[in-house]
Amino acid sequence: MDTNNVNEPMKMQFDIAHDDFIRAGEASSKIKKMLLQLGFSGRVIRKVAIATYEVEMNIVIHSWGGTLDVEIDPGSITIIARDRGPGIPNIDEAMQEGFSTAPEKIREMGFGAGMGLPNMKSCADEFFIDSVVNKGTTIKMIINS
Amino acid sequence: MKPYFHSVTLDKEKCLGCTNCIKRCPTEAIRVRDGKARIMDERCIDCGECIRICPQHAKLAITDSFERIKEYRYPVAIPAPTLYGQFPSHVSIDKIMNGLLQLGFARVWEVARGAEIISQVTRLFLEKNDIPKPILSSACPAVVRLIRVRYPELVDNILPLDSPMEAAAYLVKKEMKKEGYPISDVGVFFISPCAAKVTSVKTPLGKEDSNVDGVISIADIYGPLLSAIKKLEEVPTLQKASGSGISWAVSGGEAHLVDKEHYLAVDGIANVARVLEDIVMGKLKNIEFIEGLACVGGCVGGPLTVENPFMAKARIDARAQKYPGSLPELSPDIEWEDFIWTKRVKPTSILKLDEDMNLAIQKMESIDIIHKSLPGLDCGACGAPRCRVLAEDIVQGQADQIDCIFKLREKITELAEDMVELSSKLPPSFSEREKK
């Protein structure tokens, strides 16, 4: 890394617990408020808010728990979500709108419509997903300001 | 003109410097300094929460005095439908309107009628314009201001149409002009349950100027109006509004605009904030229209009302039911385009830590560090509503670490320990024997 760069990106990490629907969305809400105070535009804030909320919900619903790392730089916001969990056997299939493996009880709560991953992808300028079955999934999203 | 006008102000004499208001403010616009609450003008949205919570009644809403109607040859009263909920059902709307005439108004024109027209205008507007969903009602001026301050990402979702009050003022002036009244002699006074309406008349957001000339509080006019109603001998029919307009006084009044399933009526400023938060995160899906009203129950819960809001709501519901009727068609001489805002509502950047984003990031990091060192009790004794806000104020040079009583105590303990340590030290010229 360029050591002359005095402006290191701002970093923060949030723990996301499996099945914790009460706190779900809290990390996204905190990130959103910070971006507003940092002076990002409404358009960027909204994209980040949707992307972080969807990824946070994915961890709550599908994984055994994970973390959300956010790096904020005036030019872009990087979101990395890592979870331990069942992983995604077929990523192409999972990226399709409407595809969902959410159990019935989750659908009854109004989640699991199969829009999470497609929504994240449409908000992100760069989107990477990597998953290992029975280990977990990592999603990296970059949103340019 | 001052850059900011606010209806909500502080009576310094009455303020004890307690921390009730700072904790309730939805935009964290109040601090206690020098033992008195101080409202930050650029953040205040005039929602009136502090007026309601203040145990000393030190928060006031500045409204126009009733005397001001004498400035005009033809003063016109435009009563908010909320006024009807302040009286029991045996006091008919006609009586209330005739009572207003008795008080000296030349004409009474119901804001409920303005509401009916705005409902029609909204339909026409939505047929021809595409605005991002969910559409956010602009009926409540405090909510519009909340969006500007805290949810800049949602300003384009605001329905850019006049409020029923503005519509009523515009239409009564148009009507009287047509009848030959010199318009400079006509003064339109809104009879208001709401402090934010005063602000929106003095400094409108979507238009250059308001058609309203003054705002009189329901609380101020209630007593004289009650006596005037008691003295009425004849009660000619004046009421023209039906239930659909009258029900705008309560939460859910705009419900007929869209399918019920895709419509949310949210009341209470904290609840509105929570819903907007969820909207930004994409949490609430398939919602088309949100009617957010700052006061609990809707306008009947306004800070300038006299009746219990739940009682007033029951009365409004009963009156609305008594006068059913579909929305009147717009009369041919009304151009619906006249009610579209001419000025774009811009988001504010008041919460921004610094104009330079790199500096803002540095400040945010300092805030995090300071915040972690604070006790986290959010006690408010420092004059800021939460520890986090104190940390922000410290970084912005508006407060000091030792404004926190726990920090101050730590500092005193350190000092005391230093003093004890110092007191045990002796100059080298003292012998061991002398030490004892």
Side-chain angles (χ1 to χ4, degrees), chain B residues 106-234:
Chain B
R107 187 171 296 207
V108 182
W109 213 97
E110 297 165 89
V111 171
R113 273 174 79 192
E116 287 167 3
I117 285 157
I118 288 301
S119 295
Q120 289 290 23
V121 170
T122 303
R123 274 192 195 165
L124 292 165
F125 179 83
L126 294 180
E127 272 170 26
K128 297 193 170 63
N129 294 273
D130 212 10
I131 70 169
K133 301 267 167 57
I135 297 157
L136 306 174
S137 163
S138 56
C140 175
V143 167
V144 173
R145 284 166 163 78
L146 176 77
I147 296 168
R148 281 182 74 212
V149 174
R150 271 181 58 181
Y151 304 96
E153 55 277 32
L154 294 177
V155 285
D156 292 333
N157 297 49
I158 299 173
L159 186 67
L161 297 178
D162 281 344
S163 65
M165 169 192 80
E166 280 300 331
Y170 170 79
L171 289 167
V172 72
K173 279 188 173 171
K174 194 173 168 174
E175 182 182 286
M176 289 177 80
K177 196 176 171 188
K178 211 170 153 191
E179 290 170 25
Y181 289 91
I183 215 67
S184 57
D185 285 347
V186 175
V188 174
F189 290 86
F190 179 55
I191 312 300
S192 178
C194 172
K197 282 284 191 216
V198 185
T199 307
S200 74
V201 164
K202 307 260 189 213
T203 48
L205 282 181
K207 284 203 166 161
E208 287 300 330
D209 293 302
S210 170
N211 277 303
V212 179
D213 299 291
V215 180
I216 297 168
S217 124
I218 286 182
D220 285 349
I221 212 167
Y222 181 76
L225 180 57
L226 197 62
S227 333
I229 290 169
K230 278 184 187 151
K231 284 183 211 137
L232 286 176
E233 281 164 10
E234 276 174 76

Side-chain angles (χ1 to χ4, degrees), chain B residues 30 40 55-56 78 94 131 171 202 239 278 292 303 315 421:
Chain B
I30 316 175
M40 296 151 82
Q56 313 305 326
I78 54 167
D94 282 327
I131 70 169
L171 289 167
K202 307 260 189 213
Q239 181 195 344
D278 286 352
R315 288 168 175 175
E421 204 188 308

Side-chain angles (χ1 to χ4, degrees), chain A residues 10 29 32 37 42 53 74, chain B residues 153 277 283 353 358 364 392:
Chain A
M10 185 177 165
S29 184
K32 186 186 92 65
Q37 288 185 304
Y53 176 70
Chain B
E153 55 277 32
E277 194 81 29
K283 211 166 164 178
L353 294 171
N358 282 312
M364 181 70 82
E392 288 170 15

Side-chain angles (χ1 to χ4, degrees), chain B residues 168-410:
Chain B
Y170 170 79
L171 289 167
V172 72
K173 279 188 173 171
K174 194 173 168 174
E175 182 182 286
M176 289 177 80
K177 196 176 171 188
K178 211 170 153 191
E179 290 170 25
Y181 289 91
I183 215 67
S184 57
D185 285 347
V186 175
V188 174
F189 290 86
F190 179 55
I191 312 300
S192 178
C194 172
K197 282 284 191 216
V198 185
T199 307
S200 74
V201 164
K202 307 260 189 213
T203 48
L205 282 181
K207 284 203 166 161
E208 287 300 330
D209 293 302
S210 170
N211 277 303
V212 179
D213 299 291
V215 180
I216 297 168
S217 124
I218 286 182
D220 285 349
I221 212 167
Y222 181 76
L225 180 57
L226 197 62
S227 333
I229 290 169
K230 278 184 187 151
K231 284 183 211 137
L232 286 176
E233 281 164 10
E234 276 174 76
V235 185
T237 304
L238 293 172
Q239 181 195 344
K240 286 189 177 162
S242 72
S244 57
I246 295 168
S247 60
W248 275 58
V250 294
S251 178
E254 293 166 75
H256 53 274
L257 287 171
V258 289
D259 280 347
K260 281 219 159 53
E261 199 192 332
H262 306 296
Y263 167 89
L264 292 186
V266 190
D267 60 328
I269 194 84
N271 295 330
V272 173
R274 212 168 303 147
V275 166
L276 294 175
E277 194 81 29
D278 286 352
I279 289 296
V280 176
M281 295 197 286
K283 211 166 164 178
L284 303 181
K285 297 178 171 84
N286 302 321
I287 296 297
E288 286 181 23
F289 194 96
I290 299 178
E291 175 201 300
L293 300 175
C295 298
V296 171
C299 303
V300 288
L304 308 181
T305 57
V306 292
E307 185 54 273
N308 175 298
F310 298 94
M311 186 75 188
K313 182 184 183 312
R315 288 168 175 175
I316 291 289
D317 289 344
R319 288 195 200 268
Q321 213 173 12
K322 194 173 168 188
Y323 304 103
S326 49
L327 286 179
E329 287 300 310
L330 286 187
S331 70
D333 60 334
I334 295 177
E335 299 284 347
W336 67 272
E337 286 96 343
D338 288 351
F339 302 95
I340 302 175
W341 284 352
T342 49
K343 237 167 66 179
R344 193 175 166 262
V345 172
K346 289 198 201 97
T348 67
S349 53
I350 284 148
L351 301 179
K352 224 192 254 187
L353 294 171
D354 202 287
E355 282 307 314
D356 177 341
M357 202 182 279
N358 282 312
L359 279 179
I361 290 176
Q362 284 173 21
K363 284 183 177 176
M364 181 70 82
E365 283 169 335
S366 309
I367 290 168
D368 280 342
I369 293 166
I370 295 171
H371 183 202
K372 284 192 185 113
S373 78
L374 295 172
L377 291 179
D378 293 344
C379 70
C382 63
R386 294 179 300 118
C387 294
R388 175 88 194 175
V389 180
L390 174 64
E392 288 170 15
D393 287 352
I394 292 169
V395 169
Q396 297 291 30
Q398 310 287 325
D400 197 89
Q401 295 252 12
I402 52 167
D403 288 349
C404 171
I405 51 169
F406 296 89
K407 282 278 166 196
L408 182 67
R409 192 174 162 276
E410 257 174 42

